[in-house]
Amino acid sequence: MGSLLADQIECSGYSFLSTYLPDADSVTVATRLGSPLVPWNGGLVQRLIPRATATPNTYSGIYGLDRFPFHTDLAHWRLPPRYLMLRCVNGYTDIPTMLIDARAIFVGSTLNFLTRAIVKPRRPQGGAVPLLRLCEQVGAKHRFRWDEVFLIAASRTGVGAIEAVRSLLSDAETMSIALASTGDTLIIDNWRMLHARSPIVTGREDRIIERIYLERLY
């Protein structure tokens, strides 16, 4: 599974495993597929439950049960997690996770433009406001970060790049994958694929998805 999974994500940017080991817990599955990352103390497994109101400055606090915008998880970190695993505990077909492949906008002069664009977190991180590149070359690949909520431009090029990405994403092909059955598991390349949550349909507030970040895949 491991090498096949890595190959598939290298090819497509994501992999969907239908009802994968439905009786296993998320930590067991994540450990089987890769090397889990603990992003903060006690944060190995994050249980995602729709909330109409939540802590301000969080996606749930801003958008409630509405659609979440496309983004990179923890885009305001110097090094966003490499992969994220979303695993269905209680899901529905009419609340899909949506994906956009950022490679669709890595073309020609646009890529060069994005790699020169400097952005920064909207709020200080540990007392500092690091300057970040919207897109960075890592070996033969690129690490793209995008979050219109928590990132803002830090240069004139950054302003232009954000506007350009907004325009490109509005025309980009969107994929929808429903985590509907217990054990449905979606692995996403967080440096390449942007993801979003569709609106929560009335009566579906008991949707439960567990998220674990992965440093690498086996």
Side-chain angles (χ1 to χ4, degrees):
M1 169 61 70
S3 60
L4 291 176
L5 175 66
D7 289 346
Q8 185 172 2
I9 291 180
E10 172 63 23
C11 178
S12 304
Y14 70 95
S15 179
F16 177 67
L17 309 175
S18 178
T19 57
Y20 181 64
L21 300 177
D23 296 327
D25 61 57
S26 294
V27 174
T28 298
V29 171
T31 303
R32 179 169 180 152
L33 298 178
S35 179
L37 167 71
V38 182
W40 50 80
N41 188 29
L44 173 59
V45 181
Q46 300 121 45
R47 181 162 274 212
L48 309 178
I49 302 173
R51 301 183 190 283
T53 60
T55 304
N57 301 317
T58 64
Y59 268 41
S60 290
I62 297 170
Y63 298 102
L65 303 180
D66 293 336
R67 174 185 177 277
F68 286 2
F70 282 99
H71 64 281
T72 303
D73 264 16
L74 301 177
H76 56 293
W77 284 22
R78 286 192 180 278
L79 189 64
R82 184 72 178 87
Y83 304 98
L84 63 136
M85 182 188 86
L86 301 176
R87 184 164 168 84
C88 178
V89 176
N90 187 43
Y92 296 97
T93 58
D94 52 3
I95 309 176
T97 295
M98 297 174 290
L99 300 173
I100 288 179
D101 190 343
R103 286 189 180 177
I105 63 175
F106 291 172
V107 292
S109 59
T110 301
L111 177 58
N112 178 267
F113 187 37
L114 298 182
T115 57
R116 291 187 289 109
I118 304 297
V119 297
K120 62 182 180 181
R122 186 175 296 277
R123 293 176 178 275
Q125 306 292 306
V129 182
L131 298 181
L132 308 166
R133 290 193 181 275
L134 198 60
C135 186
E136 301 168 279
Q137 185 158 5
V138 182
K141 303 177 184 176
H142 288 85
R143 175 171 58 235
F144 182 61
R145 67 177 82 234
W146 179 254
D147 191 324
E148 290 193 83
V149 176
F150 294 107
L151 290 179
I152 58 175
S155 68
R156 183 175 297 177
T157 305
V159 172
I162 286 175
E163 289 301 318
V165 172
R166 282 178 181 151
S167 177
L168 291 165
L169 291 181
S170 66
D171 295 327
E173 180 181 359
T174 301
M175 295 165 276
S176 295
I177 299 175
L179 299 171
S181 300
T182 300
D184 281 354
T185 301
L186 178 62
I187 313 295
I188 300 171
D189 182 342
N190 192 47
W191 290 2
R192 170 180 168 185
M193 306 296 290
L194 306 180
H195 65 283
R197 190 199 71 186
S198 56
I200 300 300
V201 178
T202 300
R204 306 289 202 239
E205 292 85 354
D206 59 348
R207 178 182 189 254
I208 302 174
I209 302 296
E210 290 188 337
R211 177 179 61 200
I212 293 181
Y213 295 116
L214 301 170
E215 293 181 286
R216 62 189 179 93
L217 301 173
Y218 295 140

